[in-house]
Structure formats: C-alpha cells, structure tokens
Amino acid sequence: MSAIVHFPNLTSSLCFHAPQRTQFFIRPPPMTLSKLSPLRHLSHHLRRRFGVSAAAVKQDTTLWTPAPLVKISPAAESLFHITIDVSDSPELASSYTKAGQYLQLRLQDPDSKPSFLAIASPPSVSWSKGVFEFLVKSVAGSTAELLCGLQKGDVVELSSAMGKGFNIDEISPAENYQTVLIFATGSGISPIRSLIEAGFGADKRADVRLYYGARNLDRMAYQERFKEWKSTGVDIVQVLSQPDNSWTGGRGYVQAAFAREKGIFSPQSTGAVLCGQKQMAEEVSSILVADGVSVDKILKNF
C-alpha cells in the first residue's frame, strides 16, 4: 500500500492578502539586517520542510507490483537463483526491453529497504514465460539475505525495469566491430548472462571473449551454461583469484589477466562490455583506452 504523505499547511505562512482598497501610502522605514534575519530563517525553515515533503512524494511515486517467487536455489557459494512470476503483470514484464536493465525489489516487511537487482534472464524470457530471473548475492544484514531465505510462493514487490541497459547499438553492426571483450566479476555476471542469451551477433564476430572472475570455482555461477554460451560464439576465460593447486586456468584478477593477454589488433573495430567490481571496471577501461579503444565503445549498464 502506497504511503500517503500530507504536506504541512503552508498557506498561512506563504500567502499574504492585501486589502481591497488602499487610501494612503506610507513608505515603511528601511528594514535592518536584524529585522530581516527572522524572515530569512523562516523562509529557510519552510524550504526545508517543503523539500523533505517533496522528496517523500517523489519516493512514493514508485509503482510496486506484488509477484510470487517460483524458484529459489543455490547458484554458487553465497549466490542464489531467484525466479519471480510476473505473468499476471504484463505491463511489468514488458517494461524490461534491454539486457542490462535492473529493478527495485522490496519485501512485504516494513523494516526492509528496497534492493536494486539486475535482471539475469533476457527480455524474451519475460515476454514468453512471464518470469524475471535473478542472480542474487546473499549479504549478511541486507534485503538480499532475507530474499534468499524466502520460500516458493512467498510474495515480494517489484518496480518496473529501469536503467539504460547495454547499448549494443554502439558496437553494431557486427561486421564493423569484430572484437567484443566482456568483463564480469562475482554477481556482475547476472546482466552479462542476459546479454549473451539475448544475442548480440557474437557468431558474426571474429573475437568475442568473456573474462569472468571469481575467488574460486565454488563462487563462479552459471558454469552449467558455459557450453551453450560457447556455442553462440563467446570464448570464456575463467579467472580465479584464490584457486586451489589443481587449477590450470587464469589466476589473479580479471584486469591483470586481460593485461597479460590483450590481443587487440584493431582498436577502431573493438567494443567492450563491463559489469562488476568498480576497481576492475576502472582498470580495464584504462587499459582499453590506452590501447586506442574509444570510450563510447566501452559499455556499462548504469
């Protein structure tokens, strides 16, 4: 239920009514600074009161749609697959139009705060199956932790999809951007899954690489989807920062693994997509720009 916000009665303070007739005009004495100060203080006080009320109204304009959970299952260590049924809310489902978009989710608990979640399933799944799928990291003390502890059939509330998503038009058509480098860490793989499964012409490009970083294999989600992703033309480079001794793949952080390999032969025909840890995104962007890749060809979803 949306909260009802009552504005304070400002009329008595802000509206002044002049008399209907004025028979005499007497110039008032000049006001001193000491006389102006209370008025300034009053004006500042009213602006503050009005500003707080306006912010509350803006916050309450979010349209919340109740929707039941249909699946909660482990995806990796501290990560969970969450599927929410939006089939009874076609307007909500149709608000999701581009991979990389996200929404707000809140629990039916007055003490919980809304949480922003990137949608992991491609838009076509929302339209055809009437569900939103998420990859949620359970963080102690957060709404996400409470969400991951719910059961099938429990109801949550969702906002419409928001955000610009990944503007793939910037690195299209495929024949003009033969190299696409994708970078993700941790749960940042969630909107990248949406991008790959929505399709962006990977099979028509010469070099599409996904650098996916996690602490170890136990924390790497979507491994069961890697074979399918590779079949669409995406080469997957797994990078582990704390692997066990049997690991023979990439080690360290994603940005370091990429810096060692690079392999950018034509910066003018190279695009990139990034999602994950801020430091990774900043360092990878710096490497790409230094190698000649245009800043507007480095796509983020925010």
Side-chain angles (χ1 to χ4, degrees):
M1 180 179 296
S2 299
I4 300 175
V5 179
H6 297 282
F7 284 99
N9 185 1
L10 301 179
T11 305
S12 60
S13 302
L14 298 180
C15 297
F16 300 90
H17 299 282
Q20 293 182 354
R21 294 183 180 179
T22 304
Q23 296 180 344
F24 303 97
F25 177 79
I26 302 175
R27 182 182 299 276
M31 299 187 71
T32 64
L33 181 60
S34 60
K35 292 181 179 180
L36 280 172
S37 296
L39 292 177
R40 288 177 175 173
H41 175 75
L42 175 61
S43 175
H44 176 68
H45 176 67
L46 288 172
R47 285 199 302 268
R48 287 188 61 188
R49 290 179 65 191
F50 183 79
V52 170
S53 299
V57 170
K58 183 177 180 181
Q59 182 180 11
D60 290 338
T61 58
T62 301
L63 177 62
W64 294 101
T65 302
L69 277 67
V70 294
K71 180 181 179 181
I72 302 178
S73 62
E77 184 180 321
S78 76
L79 295 173
F80 291 81
H81 295 296
I82 305 286
T83 303
I84 299 177
D85 183 0
V86 294
S87 59
D88 289 337
S89 306
E91 292 182 359
L92 176 58
S94 63
S95 71
Y96 177 37
T97 60
K98 188 177 293 186
Q101 287 184 295
Y102 52 89
L103 51 70
Q104 291 187 79
L105 178 150
R106 71 179 183 183
L107 308 181
Q108 294 188 321
D109 178 347
D111 294 329
S112 68
K113 297 180 180 180
S115 180
F116 287 88
L117 299 176
I119 306 172
S121 49
S124 59
V125 170
S126 303
W127 307 333
S128 62
K129 298 183 179 179
V131 297
F132 284 155
E133 297 176 10
F134 303 91
L135 179 67
V136 180
K137 182 177 182 179
S138 179
V139 178
S142 69
T143 297
E145 181 185 37
L146 297 175
L147 172 63
C148 294
L150 296 181
Q151 304 293 323
K152 177 180 178 181
D154 287 339
V155 175
V156 297
E157 294 181 328
L158 305 176
S159 73
S160 297
M162 59 185 71
K164 65 181 182 179
F166 297 119
N167 188 9
I168 294 301
D169 291 343
E170 290 288 344
I171 53 174
S172 297
E175 54 266 26
N176 292 347
Y177 296 92
Q178 284 291 293
T179 299
V180 175
L181 305 168
I182 307 172
F183 302 87
T185 55
S187 59
I189 193 65
S190 177
I192 297 300
R193 173 204 155 188
S194 175
L195 173 68
I196 294 173
E197 296 183 5
F200 60 100
D203 58 338
K204 298 177 182 178
R205 306 178 196 256
D207 180 16
V208 178
R209 282 172 270 160
L210 165 61
Y211 289 84
Y212 179 16
R215 180 177 296 181
N216 50 52
L217 284 178
D218 291 336
R219 294 202 173 195
M220 184 167 281
Y222 296 142
Q223 295 180 60
E224 73 282 359
R225 295 179 176 269
F226 288 176
K227 184 177 180 179
E228 177 186 349
W229 292 358
K230 289 179 180 178
S231 71
T232 66
V234 180
D235 184 25
I236 300 173
V237 182
Q238 297 168 262
V239 184
L240 305 182
S241 61
Q242 297 180 21
D244 60 29
N245 294 330
S246 64
W247 177 248
T248 58
R251 291 173 175 263
Y253 294 113
V254 162
Q255 55 268 42
F258 173 61
R260 289 192 296 268
E261 295 184 4
K262 288 190 180 180
I264 301 177
F265 302 106
S266 177
Q268 293 74 26
S269 62
T270 297
V273 183
L274 286 74
C275 190
Q277 186 190 43
K278 180 180 179 181
Q279 182 178 352
M280 178 275 290
E282 291 176 347
E283 292 184 11
V284 167
S285 296
S286 296
I287 295 170
L288 292 170
V289 171
D291 283 348
V293 179
S294 177
V295 172
D296 60 359
K297 305 305 177 185
I298 302 174
L299 309 183
K300 302 173 185 178
N301 67 328
F302 57 89

